[in-house]
Amino acid sequence: MNRKNNKYMNNLLAALFLAAVCTGCQVGPNYKPVSVDMPEEWPFAASQQSSAVKKAESENLAQWWTTLKDPVLSDLVNKALSGNKDLKIALTRIRQARAVLGSSNKDLYPSVTGSALYSRTQSGVPGAADPDPSAFSIGSNYYDTGFDASWEIDLFGKNHRTIEAAAADLEASEEGCRSVQISMVSEVADSYVRLRTLQKQLEIVTSNLKIQQKSLSIVEDKAEAGLIGSLQVQQARYNVESTRASIPAYRVSIEETLNTLAILLGEMPGTLHEKLSVSAPIPVPDVAIAVGIPADILRRRPDIRQAERALAAQTARIGAATAELYPTLSLSGALGLTASSLDNYFSKDNTSVSISPFISIPVFSRKKIRDQIEVQNAIQERTLIEYETAVLDAVKEVRDAVMAYGEEQKRYLILKKGTDEAQKAYDIADERFRAGLVDFMDVLDAQRALLSFENNQISSQGAIIQDLIRMYKALGGGWDTES
């Protein structure tokens, strides 16, 4: 019996060695990084020195919001990085992908299970009148313990391709988390700038309302003195009410923005009102913006990296599907001890060993398998197009953001000049009206123009920073490549 078991064991070891030698022949396409034609430099940055640009990017892009020199904004971003719900959801996707990869790795190794069994059989049914009931009890014991093992040999790389896909999926999940982080930081900064802009606009409207109320008081005094008619009084009154009517809309927008900020931080809406209710200046950057070279966005933008990893994962799935066309080899074996008594349970004569190789060859399902391969090929083609589209969108976003940032600065300078001229026009009209040299309609027009210019100037100031935020987001800023 012992010699026979040794023979089984030698056969098992030989089969395992042969399987190990054969394992590693992977079918299907091997992934190669996609080459994308990118312009050598941005048209609007041709005059910049590339070395200085790269240095500025490395220093400023990872935590670009700190260049705005606003401690409140930096505090909000830090809280969002630890409390944002979307970011936490993205982290759970990473955990899930990591667990899937771990599970796929286990498929390369044999599966071993242990078992233990005890049973007793007994015959004979003693009667009630029998003096010795145990004489009728004839029984036997059965003890069995052992290990069962099964192993599907990865002859054509199906499991390896599955692991390759799972690893790429994990990397894609990590890039997806970084992409969520970039979007979240940008939304926090954009909402904060919007809040400060709205608060400043509310201050301007409130200040103009007070000026208009003083003008109304002057007009009413002149009307009582018989110096002007009632029409000018009514004009002054509806001008006041028109300005007053715009205030609720600003308050609603401020409330909505505060609630949006709270959600982005993962907090209950209403918790930021006490901290942010007091108006503060709109942040202003104090550094030059370096956009780098176009190829940098392939390295920095997580959405592009995520799309590239998704393409790698799908390429591996084609290999896994192709491996289904080839035979599969499985080995199953058992090693155990069987005895009827514990006295001789560990005797060599009670040892049992078995090995069962099994080969499965697809015969009638090959057409179905080829259809599945075609499905994976189509998905890969779509994934490649999605990657190329992500690159095109990224280039577009950078160009749009840079153009908007530059043109909005020009618009702000024009509005600033217009505001200065509107202020001068109002001062002249008000002075001449008080002297009785002009009609109140001139004052009314000057007030409206001044309010419009001041409001648009503040809106433009906020738009400049929001365009800057868009630019940082388009460049892939908001996470550290070293982390």
Side-chain angles (χ1 to χ4, degrees):
M1 185 70 177
N2 186 33
R3 185 176 302 173
K4 186 176 181 181
N5 289 339
N6 288 336
K7 181 179 179 180
Y8 278 128
M9 186 62 68
N10 291 335
N11 291 338
L12 175 61
L13 293 175
L16 294 177
F17 176 76
L18 179 62
V21 172
C22 295
T23 299
C25 178
Q26 298 184 25
V27 297
N30 293 319
Y31 175 72
K32 296 180 180 179
V34 180
S35 177
V36 180
D37 292 332
M38 298 286 290
E40 294 183 359
E41 60 183 13
W42 302 109
F44 41 76
S47 60
Q48 297 184 9
Q49 296 293 328
S50 60
S51 59
V53 167
K54 291 180 180 178
K55 181 179 179 181
E57 262 203 309
S58 175
E59 293 175 352
N60 298 329
L61 275 180
Q63 293 185 326
W64 58 262
W65 57 90
T66 59
T67 64
L68 299 177
K69 303 297 182 182
D70 191 316
V72 177
L73 173 59
S74 297
D75 182 60
L76 292 174
V77 171
N78 291 332
K79 287 183 178 180
L81 288 172
S82 61
N84 182 263
K85 301 302 181 184
D86 290 336
L87 194 56
K88 289 183 178 180
I89 291 173
L91 290 173
T92 63
R93 292 194 181 99
I94 293 178
R95 288 174 50 201
Q96 177 183 348
R98 187 175 291 119
V100 170
L101 176 59
S103 177
S104 299
N105 279 320
K106 305 301 187 297
D107 292 336
L108 291 177
Y109 306 101
S111 174
V112 181
T113 58
S115 62
L117 172 67
Y118 166 74
S119 66
R120 175 175 176 80
T121 59
Q122 183 169 308
S123 62
V125 181
D130 292 319
D132 187 8
S134 63
F136 293 86
S137 301
I138 302 173
S140 62
N141 296 317
Y142 178 77
Y143 301 90
D144 181 75
T145 58
F147 294 92
D148 297 320
S150 62
W151 186 18
E152 180 179 337
I153 312 303
D154 195 23
L155 292 178
F156 298 98
K158 176 183 176 181
N159 292 337
H160 282 84
R161 292 298 191 189
T162 302
I163 294 173
E164 187 180 334
D169 283 336
L170 172 58
E171 292 170 340
S173 297
E174 293 172 343
E175 299 300 339
C177 183
R178 296 184 180 114
S179 185
V180 171
Q181 177 178 324
I182 287 177
S183 297
M184 181 270 298
V185 170
S186 300
E187 289 179 21
V188 169
D190 184 84
S191 296
Y192 178 77
V193 172
R194 173 175 167 77
L195 172 66
R196 295 311 188 194
T197 302
L198 289 169
Q199 289 175 334
K200 190 64 177 177
Q201 287 177 320
L202 180 59
E203 286 184 357
I204 291 173
V205 172
T206 303
S207 176
N208 273 270
L209 178 61
K210 293 179 180 179
I211 294 174
Q212 292 170 6
Q213 288 174 331
K214 289 182 180 179
S215 296
L216 174 60
S217 178
I218 294 172
V219 170
E220 289 175 338
D221 291 342
K222 285 180 175 290
E224 289 181 2
L227 300 177
I228 60 175
S230 61
L231 176 60
Q232 297 185 43
V233 176
Q234 297 303 320
Q235 290 173 334
R237 286 176 178 171
Y238 73 64
N239 190 46
V240 168
E241 298 306 321
S242 176
T243 302
R244 197 197 310 274
S246 65
I247 292 178
Y250 285 109
R251 290 175 176 169
V252 170
S253 296
I254 289 173
E255 174 69 19
E256 292 174 346
T257 306
L258 284 169
N259 292 335
T260 297
L261 273 171
I263 295 288
L264 289 170
L265 269 60
E267 299 180 2
M268 186 65 66
T271 55
L272 297 178
H273 285 59
E274 182 177 354
K275 179 178 181 180
L276 300 178
S277 59
V278 178
S279 178
I282 299 173
V284 178
D286 62 350
V287 295
I289 307 304
V291 297
I293 59 178
D296 286 340
I297 63 175
L298 299 179
R299 173 180 58 88
R300 289 207 59 91
R301 282 191 54 138
D303 58 335
I304 295 178
R305 294 156 61 105
Q306 182 182 11
E308 187 272 337
R309 288 291 82 200
L311 179 59
Q314 187 54 39
T315 304
R317 291 189 180 96
I318 295 176
T322 305
E324 296 286 354
L325 289 171
Y326 297 87
T328 59
L329 172 62
S330 300
L331 296 177
S332 61
L335 174 64
L337 295 172
T338 303
S340 60
S341 173
L342 292 177
D343 296 335
N344 61 346
Y345 184 70
F346 294 99
S347 172
K348 295 181 180 180
D349 294 334
N350 295 329
T351 304
S352 62
V353 179
S354 66
I355 180 173
S356 302
F358 176 77
I359 296 179
S360 174
I361 302 176
V363 178
F364 300 104
S365 60
R366 296 182 69 84
K367 289 185 177 181
K368 182 179 180 180
I369 294 173
R370 292 189 184 279
D371 288 339
Q372 291 299 318
I373 295 173
E374 180 59 24
V375 169
Q376 299 303 325
N377 280 323
I379 296 175
Q380 186 207 36
E381 183 177 353
R382 184 176 72 240
T383 308
L384 173 59
I385 296 172
E386 291 172 349
Y387 170 73
E388 294 172 341
T389 302
V391 174
L392 296 177
D393 289 341
V395 174
K396 175 184 179 299
E397 288 177 12
V398 174
R399 292 178 65 96
D400 290 350
V402 171
M403 176 61 71
Y405 180 65
E407 293 301 315
E408 191 61 46
Q409 292 184 76
K410 296 178 183 178
R411 178 173 177 266
Y412 174 78
L413 294 177
I414 295 172
L415 289 171
K416 186 175 185 300
K417 183 178 180 181
T419 301
D420 294 339
E421 298 301 327
Q423 182 66 57
K424 293 177 182 178
Y426 169 73
D427 292 340
I428 293 173
D430 184 62
E431 181 180 354
R432 290 186 176 182
F433 172 73
R434 291 173 184 269
L437 300 177
V438 297
D439 189 78
F440 182 71
M441 183 57 69
D442 293 334
V443 178
L444 190 63
D445 290 339
Q447 286 178 342
R448 290 173 179 171
L450 178 59
L451 176 59
S452 176
F453 270 105
E454 287 181 335
N455 191 51
N456 288 333
Q457 181 185 349
I458 292 300
S459 177
S460 179
Q461 183 180 349
I464 289 174
I465 308 303
Q466 289 175 314
D467 288 335
L468 177 64
I469 293 169
R470 283 177 55 203
M471 188 191 309
Y472 277 125
K473 180 182 178 183
L475 293 171
W479 67 283
D480 189 356
T481 57
E482 300 298 328
S483 62

